[in-house]
Amino acid sequence: MSASSQIEHKYPSNVRARRNVNDFMFGKLIGEGSFSVVYLAKDIHTSKEWAVKVCEKQQIIRERKQEYVKREREALNRLSGLPGFLNLFCTFQDSTKLYFVMTYARKGNLLQLMEKVKKFDVECVRYYSAQILHAMEQMHAHSIIHRDLKPENILLDEKLHVMIADFGSSRIDDNKKDNFSSDEVDESASESDEQSSKPHRKRGSFVGTAQYVSPEILKGRDSTVASDLWSFGCMVYQMVAGFPPFQGPNDYLIFQKITKLDLTFPNDFDHVAADLIGKILVLNPQNRIGVQDSSPYDSIRNHKFLEGIDFFTLRKMSPPFLISTLLSGECTKEDFSIDTYEFPDNIKPGLDNEQITRLLGQDWLKIGAPSVETSSSSVENTT
């Protein structure tokens, strides 16, 4: 398949979306990465709003991220249409860029919500823990290990329901082939590009984010579903306490705390939640609660902390904090209103230099495509 080919993906309605960059008006920048930017865009045919992730092929090659892009696309393809995940509407490409057209998460992410609400009450923690667990069950049933679960990667739709995102670091544990050739990115590169060869990850590599990475990954062992369960336990802790279980002034000291299981609970920490977390955050991955279960994770579902949760109706329910925070006066209804954006009347479809300059500023013309380094707390190290 040539680099100029348009790639189609099945949308949950079983209708194939044939789109290119000129089918969208790009309204504003909503996210940035090391080789990509994400824009809020509107389909000119349907007026539906999407998040469009635009990846620069040359930067992908320079940073050796070809496999990262392939994994994310494959994972999104498998999970589109399932509750708890972004829908991948379509992908396409031109000579210099790859485009992912995905669900627009109108309410941001779980970390932003925690900062807004200050501290979740137990019912709210139960609600979001159950939603994340339910999504993880489906993800693992589709042979996908996320490997970088954290509150920033738990996006929220207009109903404040969770959508797991950012599958670039994921691991897909079966032999299904992606329908997008790894050579397609390479074909668009200059023949003199010294890094156009396919990257090979060295043994002992790990991916993840410092506060949520599991001890076995830090020791160079393979990631498994148990690694995602560890990250899940860290997120439950953070929702209860308001901060992650393992903290330090730098990544090295955080890693030391993780590998030694230097875990403590504040005095006012809910004891039932602490019991569940203590059964998840254990050094031996095989001894973590849920690891010996088949999906769904019945031993976690049946723990007293999640007792009474109806997983069949969970995504039809409103988050419990909406009522409690409004009644207490801690937040107003406007705090949880849908993020609306009015597209200017003079926007033209497409993403040429004029449109990119409007979105990214005049400096873009001087430096070319943006290259924004990821946070230092995000880890992708090879040893």
Side-chain angles (χ1 to χ4, degrees):
M1 188 178 293
S2 69
S4 61
S5 300
Q6 177 171 300
I7 308 304
E8 298 178 9
H9 293 279
K10 188 172 291 185
Y11 188 54
S13 62
N14 293 323
V15 176
R16 284 191 176 273
R18 297 181 181 274
R19 295 288 187 269
N20 62 53
V21 69
N22 293 317
D23 290 307
F24 298 91
M25 292 189 297
F26 292 80
K28 66 175 181 177
L29 179 72
I30 57 176
E32 298 175 290
S34 59
F35 58 86
S36 65
V37 289
V38 184
Y39 301 106
L40 173 61
K42 180 189 290 187
D43 188 320
I44 63 173
H45 306 287
T46 65
S47 295
K48 185 173 178 60
E49 294 180 355
W50 298 97
V52 180
K53 184 173 185 177
V54 182
C55 306
E56 296 285 342
K57 290 183 178 181
Q58 290 283 2
Q59 286 182 271
I60 292 170
I61 294 165
R62 280 197 297 268
E63 299 183 27
R64 303 192 178 192
K65 295 290 188 178
Q66 293 97 319
E67 292 300 314
Y68 182 104
V69 175
K70 284 181 59 183
R71 288 195 300 264
E72 181 163 34
R73 183 182 49 254
E74 174 65 15
L76 287 171
N77 267 333
R78 295 191 186 194
L79 298 171
S80 283
L82 296 176
F85 302 94
L86 297 173
N87 285 328
L88 180 63
F89 177 53
C90 64
T91 67
F92 51 87
Q93 61 180 301
D94 55 31
S95 60
T96 61
K97 299 178 182 66
L98 304 175
Y99 301 84
F100 289 63
V101 183
M102 303 175 290
T103 308
Y104 173 40
R106 293 182 177 273
K107 302 308 298 178
N109 61 55
L110 186 62
L111 180 63
Q112 293 169 330
L113 183 63
M114 285 192 282
E115 291 171 346
K116 182 179 293 184
V117 179
K118 304 305 179 187
K119 188 175 181 180
F120 286 174
D121 60 24
V122 171
E123 282 306 306
C124 189
V125 177
R126 281 166 31 89
Y127 174 86
Y128 277 112
S129 297
Q131 282 213 356
I132 296 168
L133 179 68
H134 185 243
M136 283 175 51
E137 291 169 350
Q138 296 182 81
M139 182 175 67
H140 292 161
H142 283 77
S143 304
I144 298 169
I145 301 168
H146 191 283
R147 303 204 298 176
D148 194 20
L149 286 173
K150 56 185 177 181
E152 296 97 315
N153 287 339
I154 307 297
L155 305 186
L156 302 170
D157 66 14
E158 64 274 7
K159 296 181 179 178
L160 291 163
H161 293 163
V162 307
M163 298 183 295
I164 297 180
D166 196 356
F167 286 89
S169 298
S170 65
R171 171 177 165 181
I172 299 176
D173 270 355
D174 62 17
N175 296 318
K176 291 182 182 178
K177 299 294 184 181
D178 188 277
N179 62 349
F180 205 36
S181 169
S182 62
D183 294 332
E184 293 187 22
V185 174
D186 294 337
E187 288 176 8
S188 69
S190 166
E191 292 182 358
S192 63
D193 195 314
E194 296 179 356
Q195 298 186 33
S196 61
S197 60
K198 183 177 179 181
H200 296 277
R201 184 174 295 282
K202 297 178 182 179
R203 185 178 180 181
S205 65
F206 64 83
V207 295
T209 300
Q211 290 90 342
Y212 309 92
V213 69
S214 65
E216 65 271 17
I217 299 303
L218 292 177
K219 294 177 180 178
R221 300 172 187 166
D222 287 341
S223 53
T224 66
V225 297
S227 309
D228 281 350
L229 285 171
W230 173 279
S231 301
F232 171 69
C234 292
M235 287 191 289
V236 177
Y237 183 107
Q238 186 170 352
M239 283 189 282
V240 176
F243 50 83
F246 305 102
Q247 299 185 87
N250 56 57
D251 289 351
Y252 174 78
L253 293 177
I254 293 173
F255 296 158
Q256 290 294 306
K257 288 188 174 184
I258 292 171
T259 55
K260 295 176 181 177
L261 197 61
D262 183 2
L263 176 66
T264 59
F265 295 92
N267 292 333
D268 61 348
F269 202 97
D270 182 84
H271 70 280
V272 181
D275 182 77
L276 174 60
I277 294 164
K279 291 177 178 176
I280 298 174
L281 300 183
V282 296
L283 293 178
N284 186 337
Q286 293 303 310
N287 291 339
R288 288 173 201 155
I289 186 172
V291 169
Q292 303 302 328
D293 299 347
S294 57
S295 185
Y297 292 117
D298 286 332
S299 58
I300 300 178
R301 286 188 177 208
N302 294 329
H303 187 276
K304 190 175 180 180
F305 184 67
L306 296 179
E307 189 176 32
I309 296 286
D310 185 347
F311 282 81
F312 292 102
T313 62
L314 188 61
R315 294 191 67 85
K316 298 178 181 178
M317 299 167 53
S318 295
F321 70 81
L322 278 175
I323 296 175
S324 62
T325 54
L326 289 173
L327 288 177
S328 67
E330 294 177 14
C331 297
T332 66
K333 184 174 279 189
E334 286 70 27
D335 290 326
F336 302 106
S337 62
I338 293 176
D339 180 24
T340 58
Y341 171 80
E342 294 294 332
F343 283 75
D345 294 333
N346 61 346
I347 291 182
K348 298 184 300 183
L351 199 60
D352 57 18
N353 282 351
E354 179 183 346
Q355 297 296 343
I356 296 176
T357 302
R358 172 180 60 83
L359 291 160
L360 300 180
Q362 292 293 332
D363 289 342
W364 181 85
L365 289 176
K366 302 175 183 177
I367 63 174
S371 178
V372 181
E373 295 300 322
T374 55
S375 168
S376 62
S377 63
S378 292
V379 180
E380 184 167 353
N381 184 28
T382 56
T383 57

